[in-house]
C-alpha cells in the first residue's frame, strides 16, 4: 500500500459527514488510523499526536491507555516537533500523582529544597526543548517557556544542570536521527 492521499489523511484524522449515517458527523475507524500511522506514514507527527490524545482520554474509538499515549507523544517529540515536545511535557506533568505524596514529603522533610520527581524533571526537559525552538511560530513554544520557568521554579542548581544536560543529549539524538 502507498502513502495515503491528503483526502485520505483528512478522513483518518478528522470527523466528516458519513453517508451511511444520513450525513451525520462520524469518526472513522480507529484501527485505520493506527494502521496508517504505524505502517504508511510513520513520520507523520500530527498522526502520532492524534493517537496520543485518543489514548490519553480514551476517545474516538481508542481505549484509555496511558502507556500507548506516552509512546506516541514520545515518538512525535523525538522528531523535534515543538508542539509534540510541549504535549509530552504536559502529559508527564499529569503523571506526577503516580509518586505517592507521603514518599516525596518524607524526603523533602530532610532538606529545605523540594525534590523534583522523575516525571517533573523529565517534563522540564521537554518544556525546555520546546521552548528553545524560537524559529517556530507556534503558541506551544511560548507556553513551553512559561511552563519551563514554572516547572523549575524550585529546582536546585544540580537539578537544573541535569535538565539542561539531558535536553542537550536528547537534542543531539533528534539531530542524528534526522540526518
Amino acid at each position: 500500500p502507498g502513502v495515503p492521499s491528503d483526502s485520505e489523511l483528512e478522513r483518518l484524522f478528522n470527523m466528516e459527514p458519513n453517508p451511511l449515517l444520513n450525513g451525520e458527523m462520524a469518526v472513522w475507524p480507529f484501527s485505520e488510523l493506527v494502521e496508517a500511522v504505524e505502517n504508511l506514514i510513520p513520520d507523520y507527527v500530527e498522526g502520532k499526536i492524534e493517537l496520543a490524545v485518543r489514548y490519553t482520554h480514551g476517545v474516538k474509538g481508542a481505549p484509555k491507555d496511558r502507556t500507548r499515549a506516552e509512546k506516541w507523544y514520545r515518538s512525535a517529540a523525538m522528531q523535534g516537533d515543538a508542539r509534540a515536545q510541549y504535549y509530552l511535557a504536559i502529559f508527564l506533568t499529569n503523571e506526577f500523582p503516580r509518586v505517592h505524596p507521603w514518599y516525596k514529603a518524607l524526603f523533602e522533610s530532610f532538606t529545605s529544597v523540594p525534590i523534583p520527581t522523575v516525571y517533573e524533571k523529565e517534563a522540564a526537559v521537554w518544556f525546555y526543548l520546546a521552548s528553545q525552538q524560537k524559529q517556530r511560530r507556534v503558541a506551544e513554544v511560548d507556553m513551553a517557556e512559561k511552563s519551563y520557568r514554572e516547572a523549575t521554579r524550585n529546582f536546585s542548581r544540580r537539578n537544573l544542570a541535569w535538565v539542561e544536560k539531558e535536553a542537550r543529549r536528547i537534542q543531539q539524538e533528534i539531530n542524528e536521527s534526522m540526518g
Side-chain angles (χ1 to χ4, degrees), residues 141-152:
V141 171
D142 292 333
M143 291 186 291
E145 273 189 283
K146 181 180 177 189
S147 298
Y148 175 72
R149 285 191 305 274
E150 180 65 27
T152 59

Side-chain angles (χ1 to χ4, degrees), residues 91-100 117-121 123:
F91 177 82
L92 292 168
T93 299
N94 292 328
E95 291 297 290
F96 293 175
R98 292 198 303 191
V99 176
H100 202 284
T117 66
V118 171
Y119 297 106
E120 289 169 316
K121 286 169 67 174

Side-chain angles (χ1 to χ4, degrees), residues 30-81:
F30 179 68
S31 60
E32 287 184 34
L33 175 62
V34 174
E35 171 70 22
V37 174
E38 285 183 342
N39 301 311
L40 301 176
I41 46 174
D43 294 332
Y44 191 54
V45 171
E46 293 296 327
K48 291 176 180 184
I49 292 171
E50 179 70 19
L51 282 175
V53 168
R54 288 184 186 196
Y55 278 125
T56 299
H57 302 289
V59 296
K60 296 184 182 179
K64 193 169 189 173
D65 187 328
R66 303 215 36 98
T67 301
R68 286 183 181 158
E70 183 175 351
K71 168 193 163 186
W72 289 112
Y73 280 125
R74 193 172 297 283
S75 179
M78 287 301 292
Q79 286 182 243
D81 184 84

